[in-house]
Amino acid sequence: MSNAQVVYQKKAEFPTQHRRMTKKALLRRGVFLFLGAALMSVGLEIFLVPNKIIDGGITGISIILSYITNIQVGLFLTLLNLPFLYLGYKMIGKTFALSTLFAILIMSTGTILLHPVPPLTIDPLLAAVFGGIILGIGVGIVIRFGGSLDGTEIVAILTSKKIPFSVGEIVMFFNLFILGSAGFVYSWDRAMYSLIAYFIAYKMIDVTIEGFDESKSVWIISDQFREIGEAVLDRLGRGVTYLEGEGGFSGENKKVIFCVITRLEEAKLKSIVDELDSTAFLAVGNIHDVKGGRFKKSDIH
């Protein structure tokens, strides 16, 4: 879970006026938390653990400790994550802590139940690829529905306040150290397979949270702002907003076009801008969430 997601969840936990979740919303969250945690346990016990491939964070530490002590990984997944539940409760809120506890218990129970099941493959590359995919989807679902399966990010947030490193850099350092440890515990080829699984899982988490048609924000500065804005509206069907701006170097007043599109519409928008003003300033950025207004991801033209 990224720092932005933690901040988003923290804000969600403390709205100006607290609203209770409906039974339907609570049931929906529980079902998806269960599904995500179950997929995580499948990725671990059916693919990664039997092939001596680890993941980053607390999960990776748990797999290594399980291998050294010959104790099932589910026990370590629960025990090592418990201290972070308290931190999550203090930092983010009760709902996040309870959702995380539920997901961790399901994941741990799932790994215990699946432990006797033979792996689907003994090919380490296949195990790394498919294990990473399933694990990433599971973690992404849990994060998307307000929980977490690893306490590393919470530690990174606390640590980043005391040292000159970002949360992402701290998490990366933790995970590189943990994944590198696989080389000493297993072998260096297993450490490399672990890096493959970690990278695939990381990308699948993003895809699961944001979707394939992820949203993008677009900022355009051009003297032909009216023509470009109308073309975006007519040819893409996307609403635009005209903002007032001032050139920092020239001091001239400028019109800034702002709009939100999907990833699939990015190439078409760039061609529109290039066609009407090849010298226009164009900036495109990723957006994690869009709500309200007339924007719908499904409206692909």
Side-chain angles (χ1 to χ4, degrees):
M1 181 170 55
S2 69
N3 190 23
Q5 291 157 356
V6 172
V7 173
Y8 170 79
Q9 287 173 326
K10 188 170 183 178
K11 289 180 178 178
E13 293 299 326
F14 300 102
T16 304
Q17 185 177 359
H18 181 71
R19 292 179 298 175
R20 283 182 170 275
M21 291 182 65
T22 63
K23 290 182 179 179
K24 183 178 179 180
L26 190 62
L27 177 62
R28 183 170 180 267
R29 171 179 281 199
V31 168
F32 279 99
L33 287 174
F34 180 91
L35 175 63
L39 285 173
M40 173 81 167
S41 62
V42 170
L44 288 174
E45 282 294 346
I46 303 300
F47 291 96
L48 300 187
V49 175
N51 287 283
K52 299 179 181 178
I53 299 172
I54 71 171
D55 185 34
I58 300 300
T59 304
I61 296 174
S62 299
I63 295 174
I64 291 175
L65 289 176
S66 174
Y67 176 76
I68 295 173
T69 63
N70 203 28
I71 298 174
Q72 288 191 6
V73 68
L75 180 62
F76 289 110
L77 287 170
T78 301
L79 292 179
L80 294 181
N81 274 300
L82 283 178
F84 305 113
L85 286 173
Y86 177 75
L87 293 176
Y89 173 77
K90 287 294 185 181
M91 291 180 57
I92 304 172
K94 181 180 178 181
T95 303
F96 170 77
L98 290 176
S99 298
T100 298
L101 176 61
F102 175 73
I104 288 173
L105 290 176
I106 295 299
M107 174 183 64
S108 301
T109 304
T111 57
I112 292 172
L113 295 176
L114 291 172
H115 187 69
V117 179
L120 287 183
T121 179
I122 57 173
D123 185 313
L125 181 58
L126 289 176
V129 171
F130 286 94
I133 291 173
I134 295 173
L135 188 145
I137 293 174
V139 173
I141 291 174
V142 171
I143 292 174
R144 187 164 184 169
F145 286 89
S148 177
L149 289 171
D150 197 293
T152 308
E153 292 87 357
I154 299 174
V155 175
I157 292 169
L158 291 176
T159 308
S160 66
K161 297 177 181 178
K162 301 179 180 179
I163 60 177
F165 294 101
S166 69
V167 173
E169 289 170 339
I170 296 170
V171 170
M172 182 180 67
F173 174 78
F174 282 163
N175 288 332
L176 287 177
F177 176 77
I178 294 166
L179 293 168
S181 300
F184 296 98
V185 177
Y186 300 124
S187 61
W188 289 108
D189 65 328
R190 298 295 158 164
M192 288 184 277
Y193 285 125
S194 297
L195 282 171
I196 294 173
Y198 174 74
F199 177 77
I200 293 173
Y202 175 81
K203 300 303 293 184
M204 288 307 302
I205 290 172
D206 282 347
V207 169
T208 305
I209 293 173
E210 299 175 8
F212 286 100
D213 56 340
E214 63 188 77
S215 304
K216 291 181 176 289
S217 61
V218 180
W219 304 80
I220 306 167
I221 302 176
S222 169
D223 293 332
Q224 280 71 47
F225 65 91
R226 189 69 64 182
E227 292 86 346
I228 293 174
E230 290 176 355
V232 171
L233 183 62
D234 294 338
R235 294 159 65 177
L236 284 182
R238 295 299 182 191
V240 299
T241 301
Y242 298 112
L243 307 174
E244 294 289 344
E246 181 181 335
F249 180 76
S250 65
E252 296 179 357
N253 291 329
K254 296 283 187 179
K255 285 287 188 179
V256 181
I257 305 171
F258 174 76
C259 65
V260 177
I261 61 173
T262 66
R263 178 177 59 85
L264 299 178
E265 296 169 324
E266 183 179 351
K268 188 172 182 179
L269 180 134
K270 287 180 177 178
S271 68
I272 291 173
V273 175
D274 189 60
E275 174 188 328
L276 296 175
D277 183 3
S278 59
T279 63
F281 173 82
L282 172 66
V284 181
N286 293 327
I287 300 178
H288 289 291
D289 197 14
V290 180
K291 185 177 181 181
R294 306 165 94 181
F295 181 83
K296 291 183 180 178
K297 286 187 177 182
S298 58
D299 294 340
I300 306 296
H301 296 272

